[in-house]
């Protein structure tokens, strides 16, 4: 793999309808530990919980001999997903169980003067942290979109006064990605 390769990846949140996803450009040699930070930022998570990459080469996260997790800081993305069409999994928050599908869509040359990672496009807002996973999120959306719902006021206040599930701001996402390590 050339050192100047960039992967176009699609990160999709599983078990959520309508779909929530981001299309990102990342250096092919980005370590999975840094990819974790990119996903957190691009999706809108707060990085409060544990995570794990599930790949054909094994599970990667914070090194844990007891759980069998290999060190995510030591393996680049291209080592676990080297070709267009390859897929790996990323799970965030083992309690809420937010499963993400990551697919390599394209392999591109690095463009001089272009900063990576970058978000190309995306759809919909990230669910609030600790809302109960895909099933809790569905219940949360039902409550906040129906003023007559028994939990409407409580959950609207819990979400900070408002939540727009259709919101996605590409410019803001790229500003935040520019600050990721």
């Amino acid at each position: 793999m050339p050192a100047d390769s960039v992967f176009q990846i699609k990160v999709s949140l599983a078990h959520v309808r309508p779909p929530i996803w981001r299309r990102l450009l990342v250096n092919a040699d980005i370590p999975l530990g840094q990819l974790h930070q990119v996903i957190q930022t691009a999706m809108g998570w707060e990085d409060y919980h544990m995570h794990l990459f599930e790949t054909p080469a094994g599970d990667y996260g914070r090194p844990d001999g007891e759980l069998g997790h290999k060190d995510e800081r030591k393996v680049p993305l291209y080592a676990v997903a080297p070709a267009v069409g390859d897929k790996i999994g990323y799970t965030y928050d083992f309690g809420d169980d937010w499963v993400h599908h990551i697919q390599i869509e394209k392999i591109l040359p690095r463009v001089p003067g272009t900063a990576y990672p970058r978000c190309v496009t995306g759809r919909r807002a990230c669910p609030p942290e600790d809302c109960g996973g895909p099933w809790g999120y569905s219940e949360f959306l039902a409550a906040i979109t129906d003023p007559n719902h028994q939990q409407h006021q409580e959950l609207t206040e819990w979400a900070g006064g408002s939540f727009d599930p259709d919101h996605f701001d590409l410019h803001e996402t790229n500003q935040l990605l520019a600050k990721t390590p």
Side-chain angles (χ1 to χ4, degrees), residues 8-157:
Q8 177 177 297
I9 63 173
K10 185 172 183 183
V11 180
S12 305
L13 195 54
H15 313 297
V16 176
R17 294 284 173 247
I20 299 170
W21 57 271
R22 306 291 182 264
R23 181 165 285 122
L24 306 168
L25 298 176
V26 298
N27 292 320
D29 61 355
I30 187 171
L32 293 181
Q34 287 181 350
L35 182 59
H36 158 70
Q37 293 301 322
V38 169
I39 293 169
Q40 288 287 303
T41 301
M43 292 300 290
W45 296 117
E46 306 278 338
D47 201 13
Y48 293 153
H49 304 283
M50 291 181 67
H51 66 278
L52 183 68
F53 287 95
E54 297 155 308
T55 79
D59 293 344
Y60 292 87
R62 292 190 179 104
D64 189 316
E66 203 171 292
L67 295 175
H69 301 169
K70 299 175 189 174
D71 191 345
E72 68 186 1
R73 298 169 298 178
K74 295 182 179 184
V75 64
L77 177 57
Y78 74 79
V80 295
V84 171
D86 285 351
K87 297 176 184 178
I88 62 172
Y90 170 80
T91 301
Y92 172 63
D93 185 350
F94 300 158
D96 280 1
D97 200 30
W98 293 109
V99 175
H100 303 69
H101 300 292
I102 302 168
Q103 181 171 7
I104 309 300
E105 293 186 319
K106 294 181 184 177
I107 300 175
L108 306 164
R110 208 174 277 169
V111 176
T114 300
Y116 301 102
R118 291 184 47 222
C119 185
V120 178
T121 189
R123 293 290 179 269
R124 300 180 53 82
C126 182
E129 292 275 354
D130 300 321
C131 70
W135 300 271
Y137 180 57
S138 178
E139 293 174 15
F140 167 79
L141 287 179
I144 66 163
T145 57
D146 178 2
N148 296 319
H149 191 282
Q150 181 179 352
Q151 291 184 295
H152 175 78
Q153 184 172 343
E154 174 189 349
L155 289 176
T156 300
E157 288 174 13

